Amino acid sequence: MKLRNWIAGAGLLLLGACVPAGESFEEEALRYCDSQVRRTLAELKEVGGGSIDYTMMPRNIADSLTVWHCRKAVKEEWCSGFWPGILWYDYEATGDETIRQEAEKFTASLEFLSRTPAFDHDLGFLVFCSYGNGYQLTHNPAYKQVILNTADTLATLYSPTVGTILSWPRNVGMFGGHNTIMDNMINLEMLMWASKNGGDPSLANIAISHADKTMKYQFRDDYTSYHVAVYDTLTGDFIKGVTHQGYADNTMWARGQAWAIYGYTMMYRETELPRYLDFAQKVTDVYLQRLPEDYVPYWDFDAPGIPDAPRDASAAAIVASALLELSGYVPGEKGQGYKDAAIKMLQSLSSEKYQSRAEKPSFLLHSTGHWPCHSEIDASIIYADYYYIEALLRLKALDEQK
Ligand code: GLY
């Protein structure tokens, strides 16, 4: 995710405002992101009659619309951390103090989560993308405390009987047991970080137990993932693997697999346990083998209507970011292959087909949020933009290491 401690020496990159000669494609794309960020800030100010409501976070732009739909930062809104996280990344890219001030103001709207009982597992997305990115750049001790407190809150959802975090407490009845969703892998990063930065060291055991049990039960023999694993609350036994946002229980939902690729890569970085590195490659390889030509997946690999089914640019951005990291852990041709694939994904996402450009203030078009619920289909979605700018920064840092 955000804490790119796997790239030694990555710091403020300080891109210039004018077009430097010999600019790389990722530098050009980062300049594009910065201009879209400024456009969004200007629009939010205009909508607010001259002042920004820092509790309202950009969430999506429907296919047919051109302005952000914003949602209030409340505990039920899982995407509120991405916009502050984007602002921190843009500050990292530009070094511009006005962007930093905006990042601080939006980030502050999420502080309540560090003193509120857990609503669900999304606390990592919410607090680590915002406060985590902010802490990486500022070392503000108050930010650290928010992260540590929120990590303790997330840990309250852990069931020692099952060995995983209960992702959606509200859905225990609906699924018929303790549910763990693949997305939850990403939230383990905050637990790992807290365990090493002054929090309870046993938070790492929770993250490792969660990753191990998920590895054992939430994948089919071909390493494609179930979105949801359901466990017996009383015995911890695995009951079933099902989908929630994918097409069917036995299909590969693109973003679910993307979370798995990202999650196991991150868990290898954090633990150095070889089983996670091995598994990250297995879940990646099945994803890469089945991609369409432009490296941006259909929203589900078995979606009805392929090749006319909607794509999911968010999955492509998440995987691109993850593979840039994974490529650094895998030696030889295989690692280079992951880096090449990530670059193809980013080049595709940076093309006219996927960038919003003048049409909308988002970075990207063509993500799919929740197809079974007819929600956010072929839309701009804030987490696609978040992982896109993260991947561009990772690529830039890798290029600077050469
Ligand atoms: N975490 C929910 C999603 O990926 O849509």
Side-chain angles (χ1 to χ4, degrees), residues 1-4 89 128-129 132-133 189 262 386 390 394:
M1 195 180 278
K2 43 251 124 232
L3 303 184
R4 290 185 307 287
Y89 278 146
F128 212 48
C129 295
N133 283 9
E189 187 173 8
Y262 196 111
Y386 177 88
E390 178 182 275
R394 285 181 170 191

Side-chain angles (χ1 to χ4, degrees), residues 78 121-122 125 168 181 183 227 245 253 255 259 369 383:
W78 79 277
H121 74 109
D122 286 322
F125 286 113
W168 287 328
I181 67 169
D183 330 25
H227 186 193
Q245 284 165 253
W253 175 48
R255 198 165 52 259
W259 295 137
Y383 44 81

Side-chain angles (χ1 to χ4, degrees), residues 145-200:
Q145 200 53 53
V146 168
I147 300 166
L148 294 179
N149 292 351
T150 311
D152 288 342
T153 305
L154 176 57
T156 63
L157 297 177
Y158 178 71
S159 159
T161 307
V162 177
T164 69
I165 290 165
L166 171 61
S167 300
W168 287 328
R170 62 189 174 280
N171 287 342
V172 169
M174 182 174 99
F175 287 118
H178 174 110
N179 57 77
T180 295
I181 67 169
M182 193 51 68
D183 330 25
N184 202 146
M185 284 297 302
I186 307 303
N187 298 314
L188 305 182
E189 187 173 8
M190 183 168 70
L191 300 182
M192 292 303 305
W193 186 90
S195 76
K196 296 172 186 175
N197 287 278
D200 183 345

Side-chain angles (χ1 to χ4, degrees), residues 80 92 172 259 283:
S80 300
E92 181 175 347
V172 169
W259 295 137
V283 298

Side-chain angles (χ1 to χ4, degrees), residues 1 10 84 105-106 124 147 178 230 301 307 321 334 353 376:
M1 195 180 278
K105 289 178 196 162
F106 280 104
I147 300 166
H178 174 110
V230 183
F301 282 75
S321 187
K334 191 157 191 210
K353 177 172 175 192
E376 297 181 312

